Structure formats: C-alpha cells, structure tokens
Amino acid sequence: MAVVHSEKRVEKIFTDAVKKMGGMAVKFTSPGLDGVPDRIVLLPGRKIAFVELKAPGKKPRPLQEKRMRQLECLGFPVYVIDGVEQIGGVLDEICAT
C-alpha cells in the first residue's frame, strides 16, 4: 500500500532532494501576481525551472495553469509534482535540459 503524503511533506522531500544535488529550491511568492508556482529550482550548471507542488491527486487551479502556461511561453520549464515518486524524474529532467 502506497504512503500518501501531504503537500507540505512532498515539498519538504523535494527541497531536501534539490539541496542534496547542490541546488536551491527557492520559495516563490510574487505580490500582485497570484497563481505563480511554489518554487524556483536552481541547479548547478545554470539549470532553472519552476515547480508547483500539490497534495497527491490534487491539480493546479485555473489561475495556476494560466501562470504556468505564461512561464512556458517565455521558455521556462514548469513542472507539477503531486507525489514523492515524481521527484527524481523531474529533477533528472531539469538536469537534462
């Protein structure tokens, strides 16, 4: 049986994994621009991405989807993680870009 983690726990496991890679997962808040992703991920080698973290099975709200599309249109990679099993794959993908 799979363990279900809260969004806060997924975020903690994610930020710890980024730190182990020598990077930073900076909490992203933008006054006046609601719906931005939770974290800006900065990894060695000038790798950058935006990550929205959700509780398992939860999806981004419409405004969050809009903000993610805007960032993607500017050329930035954007990911949604709603489970700890996705973390390694997302970080591998960020490193490969």
Side-chain angles (χ1 to χ4, degrees):
M1 182 182 204
V3 175
V4 177
H5 296 281
S6 68
E7 178 178 339
K8 188 172 190 167
R9 184 75 181 134
V10 172
E11 190 166 11
K12 171 75 170 124
I13 294 168
F14 177 74
T15 57
D16 287 348
V18 171
K19 286 178 190 173
K20 282 184 184 175
M21 297 176 70
M24 298 167 57
V26 180
K27 184 76 173 168
F28 183 33
T29 56
S30 181
L33 188 65
D34 292 336
V36 296
D38 295 313
R39 298 279 173 168
I40 301 174
V41 178
L42 307 166
L43 293 173
R46 299 190 322 185
K47 306 294 183 181
I48 183 171
F50 292 87
V51 176
E52 175 63 32
L53 295 137
K54 293 298 207 187
K58 299 292 183 183
K59 302 293 179 204
R61 298 183 318 269
L63 181 57
Q64 290 174 316
E65 292 278 3
K66 177 183 176 179
R67 295 293 180 233
M68 289 187 287
R69 281 192 307 274
Q70 289 175 320
L71 291 167
E72 287 171 335
C73 285
L74 291 170
F76 294 104
V78 181
Y79 300 90
V80 177
I81 294 175
D82 72 347
V84 294
E85 70 282 352
Q86 298 170 311
I87 293 171
V90 167
L91 292 176
D92 287 346
E93 197 169 317
I94 294 169
C95 287
T97 58

